[in-house]
Amino acid sequence: MSSSSAAPRREDRTDAAGTRPPMREALVAAAFRLFLERGYEQTTVDDIVALAGVGRRSFFRYFPSKEDVVFPDHERCLADMTAFLTASPEDADPVTRVCDAARLVLRMYAENPAFSVQRYHLTKKVPGLRAYELSVVWRYERALAEYLRGRLGGRPDGILHADVIAAAVVAAHNNALRSWLRSDGRDDAGAAVDHALGYAQSAFGGVPVPLRDEAPEDVVVVVSRRGTPLWQVVREVETAFARD
Amino acid sequence: MSSSSAAPRREDRTDAAGTRPPMREALVAAAFRLFLERGYEQTTVDDIVALAGVGRRSFFRYFPSKEDVVFPDHERCLADMTAFLTASPEDADPVTRVCDAARLVLRMYAENPAFSVQRYHLTKKVPGLRAYELSVVWRYERALAEYLRGRLGGRPDGILHADVIAAAVVAAHNNALRSWLRSDGRDDAGAAVDHALGYAQSAFGGVPVPLRDEAPEDVVVVVSRRGTPLWQVVREVETAFARD
């Protein structure tokens, strides 16, 4: 069930020009130092740029708002996720594919455990940051649902199935992510997310198979308690085979 | 699968004293008239109270902010949902119970189709209202998850299952709600939500049974294509029975 080894590699933290922008990193570091020392609400953008030794305009070049500096990598991760889903092979199992896409988010958190754990504690205390986080989670969920709608939308209830599966996958991922954050980043994040996503996959695994001509195979299923006399099982099989 | 007829009745729109507060209704009506005429951002609380013919203090007695007047019934619905879940019989099927709890939300929307459809179009246009709505949806999801955690939390992976099922139920509900809103409130809301929740129930129906002593039955399942020679099926059954 686990396919973490098949999950895509993420690019390094680079800007559009393909280089790491040190000023951006410096702004994030300064912001977090102040958020932890003084509190999020008590820290202004002016405080952050003063500590980082840059001007206000540099801040807003990288971050639309103070909230965005708390989650500096989500935009890139959303773009990676969309690119990963867009590049999906046509015959990929759609549920496996969205599970692998969700693993990209966990990997972003796990890349920098200390930062992720600090942010987790900060976000819990600031309602505005929780609201921001909800909007980010919603965007991940929409990205997964859009891909699933494309794969399942032509079928009866395809949109419904897409929305429900996307929500279940995100909830499973977030359950694993929170467990890992509560372990202060010490647990095995990959194992936790594989286990959680395995549950979502088992719930929906049988439903959305890849699109293809559907001539349902004519299959007989016989369920017997172990210990049932063999003659009785054979009679059941015969009866089932005879039924039309 | 449907149990809409068993869903709880909701109380009329009353305040703590048990009476309908006409001033609250007047404020909602005035606010929506202005939001639709001028736009949400262009309308101030002062505009609303002037049209309703009351003072600012009356507005804030009923609504903490301008956003809250757009969703005047969610707090009551959340309280109804929590009360409904708290009053659950111990032997209730937990998945059926959270589906019935979700029906309370759809019923609130369907009580007043014209208002709900107006608000749907307004919310789509105003990012701040969408963010507010996300936070409300998150609170419903947490209410369902809390109940499920209480029912399933003692089992292996109970918390994970609770979170994933709650998310799937909310997504199914919201899919039906959006379809109904897009029909301008003309479709049968109850039928749509029964159908959508039926999907979530079918995905998780087999997993979280009511708590009881668990001695897993030792069962053998044999799957054969119809047309397989009987001798071959019998050999498979023999092999399966012999395995320990």
Side-chain angles (χ1 to χ4, degrees), chain B residues 21-54:
Chain B
M23 192 187 286
R24 188 174 188 280
E25 301 282 322
L27 284 163
V28 173
F32 265 79
R33 191 169 141 192
L34 293 168
F35 294 160
L36 296 172
E37 279 174 18
R38 303 183 187 178
Y40 175 79
E41 305 290 6
Q42 289 72 42
T43 302
T44 65
V45 170
D46 285 330
D47 298 333
I48 297 167
V49 297
L51 182 61
V54 302

PDB file of all heavy atoms in Angstrom, chain B residues 21-54:
ATOM      1  N   PRO B  21     -36.218  37.184  18.148  1.00  0.00           N
ATOM      2  CA  PRO B  21     -35.878  38.607  18.297  1.00  0.00           C
ATOM      3  C   PRO B  21     -36.079  39.357  16.975  1.00  0.00           C
ATOM      4  O   PRO B  21     -35.296  39.170  16.046  1.00  0.00           O
ATOM      5  CB  PRO B  21     -34.415  38.583  18.704  1.00  0.00           C
ATOM      6  CG  PRO B  21     -33.896  37.232  18.368  1.00  0.00           C
ATOM      7  CD  PRO B  21     -35.038  36.338  17.983  1.00  0.00           C
ATOM      8  N   PRO B  22     -37.099  40.188  16.860  1.00  0.00           N
ATOM      9  CA  PRO B  22     -37.349  40.854  15.576  1.00  0.00           C
ATOM     10  C   PRO B  22     -36.234  41.817  15.181  1.00  0.00           C
ATOM     11  O   PRO B  22     -35.987  42.026  13.996  1.00  0.00           O
ATOM     12  CB  PRO B  22     -38.674  41.596  15.806  1.00  0.00           C
ATOM     13  CG  PRO B  22     -38.907  41.605  17.274  1.00  0.00           C
ATOM     14  CD  PRO B  22     -38.115  40.494  17.881  1.00  0.00           C
ATOM     15  N   MET B  23     -35.548  42.370  16.173  1.00  0.00           N
ATOM     16  CA  MET B  23     -34.469  43.305  15.825  1.00  0.00           C
ATOM     17  C   MET B  23     -33.342  42.585  15.098  1.00  0.00           C
ATOM     18  O   MET B  23     -32.748  43.114  14.151  1.00  0.00           O
ATOM     19  CB  MET B  23     -33.936  43.984  17.085  1.00  0.00           C
ATOM     20  CG  MET B  23     -33.029  45.157  16.774  1.00  0.00           C
ATOM     21  SD  MET B  23     -32.258  45.793  18.256  1.00  0.00           S
ATOM     22  CE  MET B  23     -33.640  46.658  19.025  1.00  0.00           C
ATOM     23  N   ARG B  24     -33.060  41.359  15.543  1.00  0.00           N
ATOM     24  CA  ARG B  24     -32.018  40.556  14.893  1.00  0.00           C
ATOM     25  C   ARG B  24     -32.413  40.269  13.438  1.00  0.00           C
ATOM     26  O   ARG B  24     -31.600  40.410  12.519  1.00  0.00           O
ATOM     27  CB  ARG B  24     -31.859  39.256  15.690  1.00  0.00           C
ATOM     28  CG  ARG B  24     -30.695  38.398  15.282  1.00  0.00           C
ATOM     29  CD  ARG B  24     -30.566  37.214  16.256  1.00  0.00           C
ATOM     30  NE  ARG B  24     -29.362  36.440  16.044  1.00  0.00           N
ATOM     31  CZ  ARG B  24     -29.210  35.522  15.091  1.00  0.00           C
ATOM     32  NH1 ARG B  24     -30.195  35.288  14.253  1.00  0.00           N
ATOM     33  NH2 ARG B  24     -28.073  34.864  14.958  1.00  0.00           N
ATOM     34  N   GLU B  25     -33.658  39.876  13.262  1.00  0.00           N
ATOM     35  CA  GLU B  25     -34.156  39.600  11.897  1.00  0.00           C
ATOM     36  C   GLU B  25     -34.062  40.867  11.038  1.00  0.00           C
ATOM     37  O   GLU B  25     -33.691  40.810   9.860  1.00  0.00           O
ATOM     38  CB  GLU B  25     -35.619  39.147  11.942  1.00  0.00           C
ATOM     39  CG  GLU B  25     -35.871  37.904  12.770  1.00  0.00           C
ATOM     40  CD  GLU B  25     -35.472  36.626  12.046  1.00  0.00           C
ATOM     41  OE1 GLU B  25     -35.691  36.554  10.826  1.00  0.00           O
ATOM     42  OE2 GLU B  25     -34.915  35.734  12.706  1.00  0.00           O
ATOM     43  N   ALA B  26     -34.419  42.014  11.640  1.00  0.00           N
ATOM     44  CA  ALA B  26     -34.401  43.280  10.887  1.00  0.00           C
ATOM     45  C   ALA B  26     -32.976  43.639  10.474  1.00  0.00           C
ATOM     46  O   ALA B  26     -32.752  44.149   9.363  1.00  0.00           O
ATOM     47  CB  ALA B  26     -35.009  44.395  11.742  1.00  0.00           C
ATOM     48  N   LEU B  27     -32.022  43.354  11.355  1.00  0.00           N
ATOM     49  CA  LEU B  27     -30.620  43.655  11.028  1.00  0.00           C
ATOM     50  C   LEU B  27     -30.133  42.772   9.876  1.00  0.00           C
ATOM     51  O   LEU B  27     -29.434  43.246   8.972  1.00  0.00           O
ATOM     52  CB  LEU B  27     -29.738  43.460  12.270  1.00  0.00           C
ATOM     53  CG  LEU B  27     -29.833  44.588  13.307  1.00  0.00           C
ATOM     54  CD1 LEU B  27     -29.284  44.131  14.662  1.00  0.00           C
ATOM     55  CD2 LEU B  27     -29.072  45.829  12.820  1.00  0.00           C
ATOM     56  N   VAL B  28     -30.489  41.488   9.913  1.00  0.00           N
ATOM     57  CA  VAL B  28     -30.082  40.579   8.829  1.00  0.00           C
ATOM     58  C   VAL B  28     -30.696  41.047   7.506  1.00  0.00           C
ATOM     59  O   VAL B  28     -30.015  41.113   6.469  1.00  0.00           O
ATOM     60  CB  VAL B  28     -30.505  39.125   9.141  1.00  0.00           C
ATOM     61  CG1 VAL B  28     -30.237  38.222   7.938  1.00  0.00           C
ATOM     62  CG2 VAL B  28     -29.773  38.600  10.375  1.00  0.00           C
ATOM     63  N   ALA B  29     -31.983  41.394   7.544  1.00  0.00           N
ATOM     64  CA  ALA B  29     -32.660  41.829   6.318  1.00  0.00           C
ATOM     65  C   ALA B  29     -32.030  43.105   5.765  1.00  0.00           C
ATOM     66  O   ALA B  29     -31.770  43.213   4.550  1.00  0.00           O
ATOM     67  CB  ALA B  29     -34.147  42.041   6.604  1.00  0.00           C
ATOM     68  N   ALA B  30     -31.757  44.065   6.653  1.00  0.00           N
ATOM     69  CA  ALA B  30     -31.152  45.327   6.204  1.00  0.00           C
ATOM     70  C   ALA B  30     -29.758  45.079   5.637  1.00  0.00           C
ATOM     71  O   ALA B  30     -29.387  45.622   4.584  1.00  0.00           O
ATOM     72  CB  ALA B  30     -31.086  46.311   7.376  1.00  0.00           C
ATOM     73  N   ALA B  31     -28.993  44.238   6.320  1.00  0.00           N
ATOM     74  CA  ALA B  31     -27.626  43.958   5.872  1.00  0.00           C
ATOM     75  C   ALA B  31     -27.648  43.348   4.471  1.00  0.00           C
ATOM     76  O   ALA B  31     -26.917  43.800   3.576  1.00  0.00           O
ATOM     77  CB  ALA B  31     -26.941  43.010   6.858  1.00  0.00           C
ATOM     78  N   PHE B  32     -28.499  42.361   4.261  1.00  0.00           N
ATOM     79  CA  PHE B  32     -28.518  41.691   2.957  1.00  0.00           C
ATOM     80  C   PHE B  32     -29.014  42.612   1.854  1.00  0.00           C
ATOM     81  O   PHE B  32     -28.523  42.542   0.720  1.00  0.00           O
ATOM     82  CB  PHE B  32     -29.306  40.371   3.021  1.00  0.00           C
ATOM     83  CG  PHE B  32     -28.391  39.230   3.267  1.00  0.00           C
ATOM     84  CD1 PHE B  32     -27.927  38.975   4.545  1.00  0.00           C
ATOM     85  CD2 PHE B  32     -27.896  38.462   2.222  1.00  0.00           C
ATOM     86  CE1 PHE B  32     -27.021  37.954   4.786  1.00  0.00           C
ATOM     87  CE2 PHE B  32     -27.002  37.445   2.450  1.00  0.00           C
ATOM     88  CZ  PHE B  32     -26.565  37.182   3.735  1.00  0.00           C
ATOM     89  N   ARG B  33     -29.960  43.459   2.174  1.00  0.00           N
ATOM     90  CA  ARG B  33     -30.420  44.399   1.151  1.00  0.00           C
ATOM     91  C   ARG B  33     -29.254  45.280   0.689  1.00  0.00           C
ATOM     92  O   ARG B  33     -29.036  45.477  -0.508  1.00  0.00           O
ATOM     93  CB  ARG B  33     -31.565  45.248   1.729  1.00  0.00           C
ATOM     94  CG  ARG B  33     -32.261  46.032   0.661  1.00  0.00           C
ATOM     95  CD  ARG B  33     -33.531  46.661   1.159  1.00  0.00           C
ATOM     96  NE  ARG B  33     -33.648  47.997   0.583  1.00  0.00           N
ATOM     97  CZ  ARG B  33     -34.511  48.912   0.980  1.00  0.00           C
ATOM     98  NH1 ARG B  33     -35.354  48.650   1.971  1.00  0.00           N
ATOM     99  NH2 ARG B  33     -34.554  50.098   0.397  1.00  0.00           N
ATOM    100  N   LEU B  34     -28.474  45.768   1.666  1.00  0.00           N
ATOM    101  CA  LEU B  34     -27.339  46.633   1.322  1.00  0.00           C
ATOM    102  C   LEU B  34     -26.209  45.853   0.634  1.00  0.00           C
ATOM    103  O   LEU B  34     -25.595  46.354  -0.315  1.00  0.00           O
ATOM    104  CB  LEU B  34     -26.823  47.336   2.577  1.00  0.00           C
ATOM    105  CG  LEU B  34     -27.807  48.355   3.172  1.00  0.00           C
ATOM    106  CD1 LEU B  34     -27.350  48.787   4.564  1.00  0.00           C
ATOM    107  CD2 LEU B  34     -27.934  49.573   2.246  1.00  0.00           C
ATOM    108  N   PHE B  35     -25.926  44.661   1.127  1.00  0.00           N
ATOM    109  CA  PHE B  35     -24.857  43.857   0.500  1.00  0.00           C
ATOM    110  C   PHE B  35     -25.162  43.618  -0.980  1.00  0.00           C
ATOM    111  O   PHE B  35     -24.275  43.678  -1.835  1.00  0.00           O
ATOM    112  CB  PHE B  35     -24.712  42.498   1.201  1.00  0.00           C
ATOM    113  CG  PHE B  35     -24.234  42.566   2.624  1.00  0.00           C
ATOM    114  CD1 PHE B  35     -24.452  41.497   3.494  1.00  0.00           C
ATOM    115  CD2 PHE B  35     -23.567  43.682   3.112  1.00  0.00           C
ATOM    116  CE1 PHE B  35     -24.007  41.545   4.806  1.00  0.00           C
ATOM    117  CE2 PHE B  35     -23.121  43.735   4.434  1.00  0.00           C
ATOM    118  CZ  PHE B  35     -23.354  42.654   5.282  1.00  0.00           C
ATOM    119  N   LEU B  36     -26.441  43.356  -1.275  1.00  0.00           N
ATOM    120  CA  LEU B  36     -26.806  43.057  -2.661  1.00  0.00           C
ATOM    121  C   LEU B  36     -26.838  44.320  -3.513  1.00  0.00           C
ATOM    122  O   LEU B  36     -26.467  44.296  -4.684  1.00  0.00           O
ATOM    123  CB  LEU B  36     -28.164  42.344  -2.706  1.00  0.00           C
ATOM    124  CG  LEU B  36     -28.186  40.963  -2.021  1.00  0.00           C
ATOM    125  CD1 LEU B  36     -29.603  40.420  -1.949  1.00  0.00           C
ATOM    126  CD2 LEU B  36     -27.268  39.974  -2.742  1.00  0.00           C
ATOM    127  N   GLU B  37     -27.254  45.431  -2.915  1.00  0.00           N
ATOM    128  CA  GLU B  37     -27.330  46.689  -3.674  1.00  0.00           C
ATOM    129  C   GLU B  37     -25.951  47.295  -3.916  1.00  0.00           C
ATOM    130  O   GLU B  37     -25.625  47.713  -5.026  1.00  0.00           O
ATOM    131  CB  GLU B  37     -28.192  47.710  -2.913  1.00  0.00           C
ATOM    132  CG  GLU B  37     -29.691  47.510  -3.107  1.00  0.00           C
ATOM    133  CD  GLU B  37     -30.497  48.453  -2.207  1.00  0.00           C
ATOM    134  OE1 GLU B  37     -29.937  49.462  -1.710  1.00  0.00           O
ATOM    135  OE2 GLU B  37     -31.684  48.160  -1.986  1.00  0.00           O
ATOM    136  N   ARG B  38     -25.147  47.372  -2.827  1.00  0.00           N
ATOM    137  CA  ARG B  38     -23.882  48.123  -2.903  1.00  0.00           C
ATOM    138  C   ARG B  38     -22.663  47.237  -2.959  1.00  0.00           C
ATOM    139  O   ARG B  38     -21.558  47.714  -3.246  1.00  0.00           O
ATOM    140  CB  ARG B  38     -23.706  48.961  -1.620  1.00  0.00           C
ATOM    141  CG  ARG B  38     -24.818  49.893  -1.351  1.00  0.00           C
ATOM    142  CD  ARG B  38     -24.468  50.690  -0.104  1.00  0.00           C
ATOM    143  NE  ARG B  38     -25.602  51.510   0.286  1.00  0.00           N
ATOM    144  CZ  ARG B  38     -25.631  52.283   1.347  1.00  0.00           C
ATOM    145  NH1 ARG B  38     -24.564  52.357   2.139  1.00  0.00           N
ATOM    146  NH2 ARG B  38     -26.682  53.006   1.622  1.00  0.00           N
ATOM    147  N   GLY B  39     -22.820  46.008  -2.551  1.00  0.00           N
ATOM    148  CA  GLY B  39     -21.662  45.139  -2.366  1.00  0.00           C
ATOM    149  C   GLY B  39     -21.311  45.036  -0.889  1.00  0.00           C
ATOM    150  O   GLY B  39     -21.596  45.947  -0.105  1.00  0.00           O
ATOM    151  N   TYR B  40     -20.689  43.930  -0.541  1.00  0.00           N
ATOM    152  CA  TYR B  40     -20.385  43.662   0.867  1.00  0.00           C
ATOM    153  C   TYR B  40     -19.341  44.635   1.413  1.00  0.00           C
ATOM    154  O   TYR B  40     -19.513  45.227   2.485  1.00  0.00           O
ATOM    155  CB  TYR B  40     -19.892  42.223   0.996  1.00  0.00           C
ATOM    156  CG  TYR B  40     -19.441  41.855   2.389  1.00  0.00           C
ATOM    157  CD1 TYR B  40     -20.367  41.542   3.373  1.00  0.00           C
ATOM    158  CD2 TYR B  40     -18.084  41.827   2.711  1.00  0.00           C
ATOM    159  CE1 TYR B  40     -19.956  41.207   4.652  1.00  0.00           C
ATOM    160  CE2 TYR B  40     -17.676  41.495   3.982  1.00  0.00           C
ATOM    161  CZ  TYR B  40     -18.603  41.188   4.949  1.00  0.00           C
ATOM    162  OH  TYR B  40     -18.188  40.871   6.209  1.00  0.00           O
ATOM    163  N   GLU B  41     -18.254  44.810   0.663  1.00  0.00           N
ATOM    164  CA  GLU B  41     -17.164  45.657   1.155  1.00  0.00           C
ATOM    165  C   GLU B  41     -17.607  47.112   1.308  1.00  0.00           C
ATOM    166  O   GLU B  41     -17.113  47.834   2.178  1.00  0.00           O
ATOM    167  CB  GLU B  41     -15.953  45.596   0.197  1.00  0.00           C
ATOM    168  CG  GLU B  41     -15.408  44.196  -0.088  1.00  0.00           C
ATOM    169  CD  GLU B  41     -14.704  43.558   1.106  1.00  0.00           C
ATOM    170  OE1 GLU B  41     -14.715  44.139   2.204  1.00  0.00           O
ATOM    171  OE2 GLU B  41     -14.161  42.453   0.922  1.00  0.00           O
ATOM    172  N   GLN B  42     -18.513  47.545   0.449  1.00  0.00           N
ATOM    173  CA  GLN B  42     -18.936  48.947   0.440  1.00  0.00           C
ATOM    174  C   GLN B  42     -19.972  49.252   1.515  1.00  0.00           C
ATOM    175  O   GLN B  42     -20.387  50.404   1.666  1.00  0.00           O
ATOM    176  CB  GLN B  42     -19.507  49.326  -0.932  1.00  0.00           C
ATOM    177  CG  GLN B  42     -18.468  49.418  -2.049  1.00  0.00           C
ATOM    178  CD  GLN B  42     -17.949  48.064  -2.481  1.00  0.00           C
ATOM    179  OE1 GLN B  42     -18.703  47.108  -2.624  1.00  0.00           O
ATOM    180  NE2 GLN B  42     -16.645  47.974  -2.672  1.00  0.00           N
ATOM    181  N   THR B  43     -20.436  48.230   2.224  1.00  0.00           N
ATOM    182  CA  THR B  43     -21.454  48.436   3.254  1.00  0.00           C
ATOM    183  C   THR B  43     -20.800  48.428   4.630  1.00  0.00           C
ATOM    184  O   THR B  43     -20.031  47.513   4.941  1.00  0.00           O
ATOM    185  CB  THR B  43     -22.504  47.305   3.186  1.00  0.00           C
ATOM    186  OG1 THR B  43     -23.086  47.302   1.884  1.00  0.00           O
ATOM    187  CG2 THR B  43     -23.586  47.502   4.234  1.00  0.00           C
ATOM    188  N   THR B  44     -21.106  49.456   5.438  1.00  0.00           N
ATOM    189  CA  THR B  44     -20.553  49.488   6.793  1.00  0.00           C
ATOM    190  C   THR B  44     -21.635  49.099   7.798  1.00  0.00           C
ATOM    191  O   THR B  44     -22.825  49.083   7.477  1.00  0.00           O
ATOM    192  CB  THR B  44     -20.058  50.904   7.155  1.00  0.00           C
ATOM    193  OG1 THR B  44     -21.214  51.773   7.196  1.00  0.00           O
ATOM    194  CG2 THR B  44     -19.077  51.429   6.119  1.00  0.00           C
ATOM    195  N   VAL B  45     -21.193  48.786   9.019  1.00  0.00           N
ATOM    196  CA  VAL B  45     -22.159  48.505  10.082  1.00  0.00           C
ATOM    197  C   VAL B  45     -23.050  49.723  10.304  1.00  0.00           C
ATOM    198  O   VAL B  45     -24.252  49.592  10.562  1.00  0.00           O
ATOM    199  CB  VAL B  45     -21.423  48.087  11.373  1.00  0.00           C
ATOM    200  CG1 VAL B  45     -22.391  48.019  12.553  1.00  0.00           C
ATOM    201  CG2 VAL B  45     -20.733  46.732  11.183  1.00  0.00           C
ATOM    202  N   ASP B  46     -22.486  50.927  10.170  1.00  0.00           N
ATOM    203  CA  ASP B  46     -23.302  52.142  10.317  1.00  0.00           C
ATOM    204  C   ASP B  46     -24.426  52.194   9.277  1.00  0.00           C
ATOM    205  O   ASP B  46     -25.560  52.575   9.594  1.00  0.00           O
ATOM    206  CB  ASP B  46     -22.418  53.398  10.186  1.00  0.00           C
ATOM    207  CG  ASP B  46     -21.579  53.619  11.444  1.00  0.00           C
ATOM    208  OD1 ASP B  46     -22.053  53.227  12.529  1.00  0.00           O
ATOM    209  OD2 ASP B  46     -20.463  54.146  11.326  1.00  0.00           O
ATOM    210  N   ASP B  47     -24.124  51.801   8.042  1.00  0.00           N
ATOM    211  CA  ASP B  47     -25.166  51.759   7.005  1.00  0.00           C
ATOM    212  C   ASP B  47     -26.278  50.798   7.414  1.00  0.00           C
ATOM    213  O   ASP B  47     -27.467  51.077   7.234  1.00  0.00           O
ATOM    214  CB  ASP B  47     -24.586  51.276   5.663  1.00  0.00           C
ATOM    215  CG  ASP B  47     -23.498  52.200   5.122  1.00  0.00           C
ATOM    216  OD1 ASP B  47     -23.536  53.404   5.445  1.00  0.00           O
ATOM    217  OD2 ASP B  47     -22.620  51.702   4.390  1.00  0.00           O
ATOM    218  N   ILE B  48     -25.877  49.649   7.941  1.00  0.00           N
ATOM    219  CA  ILE B  48     -26.859  48.610   8.286  1.00  0.00           C
ATOM    220  C   ILE B  48     -27.776  49.084   9.405  1.00  0.00           C
ATOM    221  O   ILE B  48     -29.005  48.970   9.308  1.00  0.00           O
ATOM    222  CB  ILE B  48     -26.139  47.293   8.693  1.00  0.00           C
ATOM    223  CG1 ILE B  48     -25.337  46.737   7.510  1.00  0.00           C
ATOM    224  CG2 ILE B  48     -27.155  46.251   9.175  1.00  0.00           C
ATOM    225  CD1 ILE B  48     -24.346  45.637   7.882  1.00  0.00           C
ATOM    226  N   VAL B  49     -27.175  49.635  10.461  1.00  0.00           N
ATOM    227  CA  VAL B  49     -28.023  50.058  11.592  1.00  0.00           C
ATOM    228  C   VAL B  49     -28.897  51.238  11.197  1.00  0.00           C
ATOM    229  O   VAL B  49     -30.037  51.365  11.677  1.00  0.00           O
ATOM    230  CB  VAL B  49     -27.198  50.372  12.869  1.00  0.00           C
ATOM    231  CG1 VAL B  49     -26.483  49.119  13.345  1.00  0.00           C
ATOM    232  CG2 VAL B  49     -26.223  51.508  12.651  1.00  0.00           C
ATOM    233  N   ALA B  50     -28.414  52.104  10.304  1.00  0.00           N
ATOM    234  CA  ALA B  50     -29.238  53.237   9.858  1.00  0.00           C
ATOM    235  C   ALA B  50     -30.478  52.725   9.128  1.00  0.00           C
ATOM    236  O   ALA B  50     -31.606  53.181   9.384  1.00  0.00           O
ATOM    237  CB  ALA B  50     -28.424  54.162   8.942  1.00  0.00           C
ATOM    238  N   LEU B  51     -30.281  51.751   8.227  1.00  0.00           N
ATOM    239  CA  LEU B  51     -31.429  51.218   7.480  1.00  0.00           C
ATOM    240  C   LEU B  51     -32.387  50.449   8.396  1.00  0.00           C
ATOM    241  O   LEU B  51     -33.617  50.523   8.246  1.00  0.00           O
ATOM    242  CB  LEU B  51     -30.935  50.282   6.354  1.00  0.00           C
ATOM    243  CG  LEU B  51     -32.037  49.695   5.453  1.00  0.00           C
ATOM    244  CD1 LEU B  51     -32.816  50.796   4.729  1.00  0.00           C
ATOM    245  CD2 LEU B  51     -31.442  48.726   4.426  1.00  0.00           C
ATOM    246  N   ALA B  52     -31.826  49.726   9.376  1.00  0.00           N
ATOM    247  CA  ALA B  52     -32.683  48.966  10.287  1.00  0.00           C
ATOM    248  C   ALA B  52     -33.324  49.859  11.348  1.00  0.00           C
ATOM    249  O   ALA B  52     -34.240  49.439  12.055  1.00  0.00           O
ATOM    250  CB  ALA B  52     -31.876  47.850  10.955  1.00  0.00           C
ATOM    251  N   GLY B  53     -32.826  51.079  11.472  1.00  0.00           N
ATOM    252  CA  GLY B  53     -33.405  52.017  12.437  1.00  0.00           C
ATOM    253  C   GLY B  53     -33.064  51.685  13.886  1.00  0.00           C
ATOM    254  O   GLY B  53     -33.884  51.878  14.784  1.00  0.00           O
ATOM    255  N   VAL B  54     -31.846  51.155  14.095  1.00  0.00           N
ATOM    256  CA  VAL B  54     -31.418  50.852  15.472  1.00  0.00           C
ATOM    257  C   VAL B  54     -30.019  51.422  15.683  1.00  0.00           C
ATOM    258  O   VAL B  54     -29.390  51.936  14.747  1.00  0.00           O
ATOM    259  CB  VAL B  54     -31.409  49.321  15.744  1.00  0.00           C
ATOM    260  CG1 VAL B  54     -32.794  48.717  15.509  1.00  0.00           C
ATOM    261  CG2 VAL B  54     -30.367  48.625  14.872  1.00  0.00           C
TER     262      VAL B  54
END
